[in-house]
């Protein structure tokens, strides 16, 4: 559950609260510490065993919505924990809806628009924002597919 919420870009305070509520429903005492791309989870009462989850973050609102639906179904006992885990594993391994170049283009357009409208940037500033936004998105895709580049990108 934590890995799917982290991967799809859920807010950090939301992830911690949801995991603690789910732990209480399952009869576990859960403590979470979240740092960018890393979450520390402690499940037992004597707090001797710490679980570390590392996950690249990609904003995917569709995936975040699907993960939250699975969370609520498990919480409401509509589906079992095993079935929810199977669905989340499928969500984590399915290919993205849009290709990397299309996401880079969308992010460049968003960067262009925000620079011009919200920050009152000139046309040249907006063009630079477009290029930088597209490059950062392409680099995040490369970091997601290359373990060596992932450490450099972080």
């Amino acid at each position: 559950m934590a890995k799917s919420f982290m991967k799809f870009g859920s807010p950090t305070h939301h992830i911690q609260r949801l995991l603690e509520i789910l732990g209480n429903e399952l009869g576990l005492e859960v403590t979470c510490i979240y740092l960018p791309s890393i979450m520390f989870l402690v499940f037992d009462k004597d707090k001797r065993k710490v679980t570390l989850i590392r996950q690249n973050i990609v904003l995917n609102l569709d995936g975040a919505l699907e993960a939250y639906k699975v969370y609520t179904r498990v919480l409401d006992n509509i589906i079992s924990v095993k079935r929810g885990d199977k669905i989340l594993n499928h969500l984590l391994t399915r290919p993205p809806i849009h290709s990397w170049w299309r996401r880079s283009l969308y992010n460049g357009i968003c960067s262009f628009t925000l620079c011009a409208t919200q920050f009152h940037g000139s046309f040249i500033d907006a063009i630079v924002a477009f290029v930088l936004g597209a490059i950062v998105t392409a680099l995040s895709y490369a970091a997601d597919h290359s373990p060596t580049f992932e450490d450099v990108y972080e």
Side-chain angles (χ1 to χ4, degrees):
M1 188 65 65
K3 198 169 193 174
S4 62
F5 283 142
M6 288 170 65
K7 179 176 182 174
F8 300 128
S10 295
T12 57
H13 65 281
H14 195 63
I15 295 172
Q16 291 175 325
R17 186 175 57 83
L18 290 176
L19 291 177
E20 288 171 358
I21 291 171
L22 184 63
N24 287 339
E25 286 294 319
L26 295 175
L28 300 170
E29 184 177 331
V30 179
T31 305
C32 306
I33 298 174
Y34 182 76
L35 301 171
S37 302
I38 298 173
M39 178 172 281
F40 298 97
L41 292 170
V42 181
F43 289 105
D44 54 356
K45 292 181 181 179
D46 53 356
K47 304 198 185 327
R48 291 186 188 169
K49 185 176 180 186
V50 176
T51 303
L52 173 72
I53 299 174
R54 186 171 186 211
Q55 178 66 48
N56 286 338
I57 300 168
V58 176
L59 184 61
N60 179 350
L61 297 179
D62 183 53
L65 178 63
E66 290 297 320
Y68 186 73
K69 285 180 181 178
V70 171
Y71 167 82
T72 55
R73 289 179 189 149
V74 169
L75 200 63
D76 295 338
N77 290 327
I78 295 172
I79 61 174
S80 68
V81 175
K82 283 188 177 187
R83 176 78 177 130
D85 186 47
K86 199 179 267 190
I87 294 170
L88 289 176
N89 283 334
H90 173 70
L91 276 175
L92 289 170
T93 57
R94 76 177 182 188
I97 296 171
H98 301 290
S99 62
W100 69 271
W101 63 267
R102 191 178 239 175
R103 286 185 282 159
S104 296
L105 178 67
Y106 292 157
N107 199 12
I109 291 169
C110 290
S111 298
F112 179 91
T113 306
L114 286 172
C115 178
T117 59
Q118 300 300 314
F119 297 104
H120 307 293
S122 67
F123 185 72
I124 301 296
D125 293 335
I127 289 173
V128 170
F130 173 87
V131 170
L132 291 176
I135 288 172
V136 166
T137 305
L139 289 176
S140 76
Y141 176 80
D144 200 27
H145 288 77
S146 169
T148 305
F149 189 67
E150 177 184 350
D151 294 332
V152 174
Y153 182 73
E154 266 185 22

